[in-house]
Amino acid sequence: METKELTHYKTVVAKLPQLKKEIGKVIVGQQEAIDEILISLLAGGHCLLEGVPGLAKTLMVKTMAEALEMNFKRIQFTPDLMPGDIIGTEILEEDHNSGKKFFKFNRGPIFANVVLADEINRTPPKTQAALLEAMQEYKVTYGGTDYELPRPFLIIATQNPIEQAGTYPLPEAQLDRFLLYIRLRYPSEQEELNVLKSTTGTSRPELKTVLTDQEIIDLQYLTRQVHIGDELIGSINKLVRSTRPESSSSAFVKQWCDWGAGPRAGQALVLCSKARAVLNERFSVIPEDIQTLAYPILRHRIALNFRAEAENITTDQVIRELLK
């Protein structure tokens, strides 16, 4: 890497703490979740955000988009939502000069830099599947024509863990498309006190734009260049393979798991560890990156058996056992 290019990257990376500071003007606490969303953005993936109502999931995503000057769209998923409501549809138009009629593709809300798929588990599988191609291929196909999505592109889907009536749980294949499965916790007592003080008045903090679209793309390119040692890649491979009951040496996994994570989990863990290094202004991965990100990367890629669910065993417990 040339000196001029290295200087540019260091300047852009130095803006990341300021970005977190700007988001912190609006969002009180939830630092772990904010970091994980930014890691997903740097790694070029998408994330699933789960939390009870009132934890500022929507506000968190909207605030991040504002601080990044990214085009933001929110889609409220409902039982009657159709795929065309997401990707767009063709409309009949008339050329005023010639009088000829033609079909024109009217782009849906998926054509944005940050797309918030709110309560994704409230819509039927047909509509959920409409997101699959966009998430994986970064394009939408309609009527045999491909339409490229804007870059950078990030889908953040939210779901409510406590309401099960009238919901359609995401199938395993679609869950695997999400780079990270982020769980929002309740705020601490002091954080909740700060929320009550800061959100019930008339003041609204002004956010400054910290990073441009091109700078985010530069950071995504830099993330893939971050160094990770062969020993750490070997430990990631060993961790992912140990989640599979047929090849695991863990009695805990053999007892409670039906099947484990696939190779995509290892790829995600390497890439997100690199992204976490960049977020912390480092250019090399350390073991702490892997241990921290093992939970949001593996928790939706491990399937527990019926006995485990009856005993209230969670995938986080499985990961904790493996990290020991």
Side-chain angles (χ1 to χ4, degrees):
M1 196 181 289
E2 294 179 10
T3 308
K4 189 177 179 182
E5 191 181 13
L6 186 62
T7 305
H8 167 69
Y9 282 128
K10 284 183 176 178
T11 305
V12 177
V13 169
K15 292 183 179 182
L16 288 170
Q18 178 62 30
L19 173 62
K20 291 201 277 187
K21 189 177 176 183
E22 287 299 310
I23 296 171
K25 285 181 181 178
V26 177
I27 305 299
V28 179
Q30 302 292 8
Q31 196 55 57
E32 186 181 328
I34 291 168
D35 283 356
E36 288 172 358
I37 291 173
L38 292 176
I39 285 166
S40 186
L41 176 65
L42 293 178
H46 312 285
C47 50
L48 184 61
L49 200 57
E50 183 181 270
V52 298
L55 293 183
K57 296 187 289 293
T58 304
L59 183 61
M60 186 185 297
V61 179
K62 191 176 179 183
T63 302
M64 186 199 73
E66 278 184 45
L68 291 171
E69 203 182 33
M70 293 170 82
N71 185 13
F72 170 77
K73 292 283 176 69
R74 175 178 177 267
I75 308 170
Q76 179 62 55
F77 279 69
T78 56
D80 60 348
L81 196 74
M82 298 297 288
D85 298 326
I86 296 172
I87 63 173
T89 187
E90 283 186 332
I91 55 173
L92 189 62
E93 290 202 349
E94 185 177 340
D95 189 321
H96 296 296
N97 295 323
S98 64
K100 288 183 178 180
K101 294 182 179 180
F102 61 94
F103 282 102
K104 180 186 176 185
F105 181 66
N106 192 28
R107 300 183 178 211
I110 194 77
F111 288 88
N113 296 117
V114 179
V115 179
L116 177 64
D118 222 350
E119 295 187 300
I120 191 173
N121 57 337
R122 288 205 168 278
T123 204
K126 182 180 180 181
T127 308
Q128 290 173 357
L131 287 175
L132 278 175
E133 184 190 17
M135 288 170 66
Q136 191 68 22
E137 306 296 336
Y138 292 88
K139 65 183 174 69
V140 164
T141 304
Y142 192 97
T145 305
D146 290 344
Y147 299 91
E148 294 291 327
L149 291 164
R151 297 293 186 96
F153 179 64
L154 173 67
I155 287 179
I156 301 175
T158 72
Q159 63 179 19
N160 185 337
I162 56 175
E163 284 185 49
Q164 297 305 321
T167 60
Y168 304 84
L170 291 171
E172 287 77 7
Q174 190 161 342
L175 276 175
D176 194 43
R177 304 273 178 175
F178 288 100
L179 195 65
L180 299 176
Y181 188 151
I182 303 167
R183 283 197 175 131
L184 284 181
R185 317 286 179 192
Y186 282 114
S188 67
E189 186 176 352
Q190 186 57 50
E191 286 171 348
E192 196 159 354
L193 194 62
N194 292 340
V195 168
L196 296 178
K197 288 178 180 178
S198 63
T199 59
T200 53
T202 55
S203 63
R204 171 80 168 90
E206 286 188 23
L207 294 181
K208 296 176 185 173
T209 301
V210 180
L211 290 169
T212 64
D213 289 355
Q214 186 55 52
E215 285 174 331
I216 295 164
I217 291 168
D218 289 346
L219 284 171
Q220 289 176 339
Y221 177 71
L222 175 66
T223 294
R224 289 184 171 266
Q225 295 187 74
V226 168
H227 176 262
I228 179 169
D230 289 343
E231 189 180 333
L232 290 180
I233 291 179
S235 68
I236 287 172
N237 193 39
K238 187 178 177 184
L239 174 64
V240 172
R241 290 181 65 82
S242 67
T243 64
R244 303 166 193 165
E246 66 275 9
S247 60
S248 180
S249 59
S250 168
F252 197 87
V253 169
K254 289 179 183 293
Q255 184 180 0
W256 303 113
C257 297
D258 259 351
W259 45 265
R264 190 181 278 158
Q267 293 171 320
L269 196 43
V270 170
L271 201 51
C272 288
S273 295
K274 289 183 174 187
R276 188 177 186 271
V278 171
L279 192 63
N280 288 285
E281 298 180 81
R282 285 184 277 106
F283 295 96
S284 184
V285 173
I286 60 175
E288 185 190 328
D289 296 326
I290 298 166
Q291 290 158 12
T292 303
L293 290 165
Y295 292 95
I297 284 170
L298 293 174
R299 65 167 53 117
H300 58 301
R301 294 183 165 103
I302 298 172
L304 301 173
N305 55 34
F306 288 115
R307 191 177 160 207
E309 290 176 18
E311 295 287 337
N312 290 323
I313 301 292
T314 65
T315 51
D316 278 18
Q317 285 175 262
V318 176
I319 298 163
R320 197 174 299 118
E321 283 292 323
L322 293 174
L323 287 174
K324 285 179 184 177

